[in-house]
């Protein structure tokens, strides 16, 4: 199987369209989304409709649930709060129902998918350090777990001898007996100094996970954020990749 896993679209339609067209060249069997379809940019409805048509399973992100009042706004900074309020006004009953019904964790024979961490997924904690990762490694019963949330693409690997190692290389070979947590990065608002959209492919026959990057029309996405009256930094950060 060739699985597509992407996350953190954040209502950025230009970025999502670029990623979907890149995936069309990848012979993908099934698509999965790690959450935060909405929040920050200006096309929540359009992005949700593309994701719903394409993806077999999406897990809940903090912005998804905050937009439908399932996660408290107290955990967000003022710019994110403003974007969530703006987003909430642009969702119809079907969009709201879709976001409300998202599960926190998805699992199949090959991988687990969660927005933040497996340790208390409802709290949407970030995974930055080896010790953050260790709590999720302990709870995994698949070899691979895909996460999003930090918008920083990278691989945590657990090996019984070497312990936990972290890499921001573009790919990892899956060795049996080891475990891997893969942050697939962000489609719509990368924060790892590379402004191009991140998207991931897991080839279970080749036992290889690859994170790829593709450029998109940042000027168009940023212009719409400014025209909508949303905080200017949300537009400026797109070209900085932070
Ligand atoms: Zn996010």
């Amino acid at each position: 199987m060739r699985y597509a896993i992407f996350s953190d679209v954040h209502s950025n339609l230009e970025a999502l369209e670029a990623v979907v067209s890149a995936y069309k060249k990848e012979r993908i069997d099934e698509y999965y989304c790690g959450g935060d379809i909405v929040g920050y940019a200006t096309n929540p409805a359009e992005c949700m409709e593309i994701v719903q048509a394409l993806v077999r399973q999406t897990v809940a992100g903090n912005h998804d649930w905050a937009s439908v009042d399932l996660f408290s706004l107290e955990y967000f900074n003022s710019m994110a709060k403003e974007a969530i309020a703006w987003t909430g006004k642009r969702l119809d009953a079907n969009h709201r129902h879709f976001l409300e019904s998202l599960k926190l964790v998805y699992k199949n024979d090959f991988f687990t998918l969660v927005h933040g961490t497996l340790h208390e997924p409802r709290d949407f904690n970030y995974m930055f350090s080896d010790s953050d990762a260790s709590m999720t490694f302990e709870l995994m019963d698949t070899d691979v777990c895909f996460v999003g949330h930090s918008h920083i693409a990278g691989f945590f690997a657990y090996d019984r001898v070497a312990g936990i190692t972290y890499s921001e290389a573009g790919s990892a070979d899956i060795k049996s007996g080891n475990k891997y947590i893969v942050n697939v990065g962000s489609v719509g608002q990368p924060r790892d100094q590379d402004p191009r959209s991140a998207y991931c492919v897991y080839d279970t026959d080749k036992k290889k996970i690859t994170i790829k990057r593709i450029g998109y029309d940042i000027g168009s996405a940023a212009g719409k954020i400014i025209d909508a009256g949303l905080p200017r930094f949300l537009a400026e950060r797109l070209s900085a990749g932070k």
Side-chain angles (χ1 to χ4, degrees), residues 20-107:
V20 170
S21 62
Y23 270 138
K24 294 294 176 194
K25 298 168 193 148
E26 291 279 352
R27 296 179 293 105
I28 297 299
D29 296 303
E30 288 179 1
Y31 290 83
Y32 292 84
C33 176
D36 276 2
I37 303 169
V38 302
Y40 292 134
T42 61
N43 294 100
E46 294 85 347
C47 290
M48 284 184 60
E49 277 150 31
I50 290 171
V51 170
Q52 282 178 273
L54 185 70
V55 165
R56 176 154 183 179
Q57 185 77 50
T58 301
V59 292
N62 50 324
H63 289 253
D64 300 322
W65 272 12
S67 299
V68 291
D69 308 313
L70 286 178
F71 187 65
S72 173
L73 283 175
E74 72 181 282
Y75 298 103
F76 295 88
N77 66 40
S78 63
M79 287 180 296
K81 275 185 194 151
E82 219 179 298
I84 288 163
W86 187 95
T87 299
K89 290 186 204 132
R90 281 154 184 86
L91 301 177
D92 68 20
N94 287 332
H95 299 136
R96 297 184 73 85
H97 177 73
F98 175 75
L99 295 178
E100 285 161 3
S101 56
L102 294 176
K103 291 180 191 163
L104 285 162
V105 179
Y106 166 81
K107 191 169 71 174

Side-chain angles (χ1 to χ4, degrees), residues 8 10 36 62-63 115 149 151:
D8 294 86
H10 284 296
D36 276 2
N62 50 324
H63 289 253
H115 188 64
H149 197 31
H151 301 201

Side-chain angles (χ1 to χ4, degrees), residues 15 24 27 44 58 78 85 110 125 142 150 166 184 208 237 239:
K24 294 294 176 194
R27 296 179 293 105
T58 301
S78 63
F110 290 100
N125 293 311
T142 55
S150 71
Y166 177 72
V184 298
K208 193 175 188 77
R237 71 188 307 175
S239 53

Side-chain angles (χ1 to χ4, degrees), residues 126-168:
Y126 287 92
M127 194 186 300
F128 288 124
S129 67
D130 291 0
S131 70
D132 298 336
S134 72
M135 291 190 281
T136 287
F137 276 126
E138 282 169 23
L139 294 165
M140 284 166 61
D141 48 19
T142 55
D143 291 345
V144 177
C145 179
F146 293 102
V147 302
H149 197 31
S150 71
H151 301 201
I152 296 168
F155 298 85
F156 289 95
Y158 174 75
D159 165 322
R160 257 179 239 163
V161 179
I164 297 173
T165 52
Y166 177 72
S167 158
E168 291 183 1

